[in-house]
Amino acid sequence: GNDLSAFGWTVTGAPPYIAPSGADFLTPDDKGTTGGVHLDTASDVIQSPPIFGDWSHGAAVTRLVGRLSNDGTPDMPRFLICDFVARFSANNAETGSGIGFVEDGGSAAVANDHAAMIFTDGTSWKLRSGAATSAAIAAVDTSPHRFRIVLDRIAALAYGFVDNHDKLYGQSIAIEADEFPVCFGAGVVSGGSNDPVLSNVDIRY
């Protein structure tokens, strides 16, 4: 937590890292108990600086990879993609507990600050923002899964996936205006107990 905060991250509650255990060798049939950053206390939050998805960050990325149009303007990417492996310690209906993208200046543990986050309503995983909630993506459990969130600039939609990344489109919500840049974050709502365990994350355009 101290190392991350030196680079602009917000880390509250000093969430511990728990070690993985009990898996079979490289098999999806017995994943064991995955380890990772365990947000084990209500109001725990871990989130990056707000850098993803605004024009400035997109322009920086296009310059790095040489994606400029003929007139020299940035050729903006279509997608912002977030992949992460995680599990939830419980399956309560907690709108404010989740993992994903958080509005500029917001908190991962506050429902109205979500930009595109995976959460559980007690029955299903869904994708939500402060303004909209998707249809059910998959039935919940406490096992580890591969989650994906895709923001599509052309369609102006955010899509949520659980263990089916090969599909082009998942359950969707509209992307809110005027809430970028977003940060990546995970959090537990005040009074909550779903307690996400975040194993790894990859974010790219």
Side-chain angles (χ1 to χ4, degrees):
N2 291 335
D3 291 340
L4 288 173
S5 62
F7 292 93
W9 285 67
T10 300
V11 182
T12 62
Y17 179 87
I18 59 173
S21 63
D24 284 346
F25 178 61
L26 298 179
T27 175
D29 298 326
D30 187 353
K31 301 182 182 73
T33 302
T34 57
V37 176
H38 187 196
L39 304 170
D40 65 344
T41 305
S43 300
D44 270 2
V45 164
I46 181 169
Q47 60 190 63
S48 75
I51 60 173
F52 302 106
D54 68 344
W55 182 90
S56 177
H57 197 250
V61 170
T62 61
R63 286 196 302 273
L64 286 173
V65 299
R67 289 288 300 271
L68 300 176
S69 63
N70 290 336
D71 62 359
T73 57
D75 181 15
M76 288 292 176
R78 176 172 179 174
F79 301 106
L80 174 61
I81 302 169
C82 175
D83 287 325
F84 56 93
V85 173
R87 60 184 173 87
F88 290 83
S89 301
N91 294 324
N92 300 306
E94 292 179 11
T95 304
S97 299
I99 306 173
F101 290 119
V102 184
E103 297 173 358
D104 54 343
S107 168
V110 176
N112 284 341
D113 291 344
H114 293 178
M117 294 190 71
I118 298 288
F119 81 106
T120 173
D121 63 0
T123 303
S124 305
W125 282 299
K126 295 181 177 180
L127 183 71
R128 71 174 312 278
S129 69
T133 301
S134 77
I137 301 171
V140 297
D141 57 33
T142 55
S143 300
H145 294 275
R146 297 180 307 123
F147 297 90
R148 172 172 287 181
I149 298 170
V150 177
L151 274 61
D152 182 338
R153 178 176 60 87
I154 302 300
L157 294 172
Y159 300 93
F161 304 84
V162 180
D163 293 332
N164 60 351
H165 295 181
D166 58 320
K167 293 186 177 180
L168 182 59
Y169 298 111
Q171 299 293 355
S172 66
I173 57 174
I175 295 174
E176 288 187 86
D178 301 323
E179 299 295 355
F180 290 83
V182 293
C183 70
F184 171 80
V188 183
V189 70
S190 176
S193 58
N194 280 355
D195 300 353
V197 179
L198 180 63
S199 297
N200 60 64
V201 61
D202 173 55
I203 299 172
R204 63 197 183 280
Y205 290 100

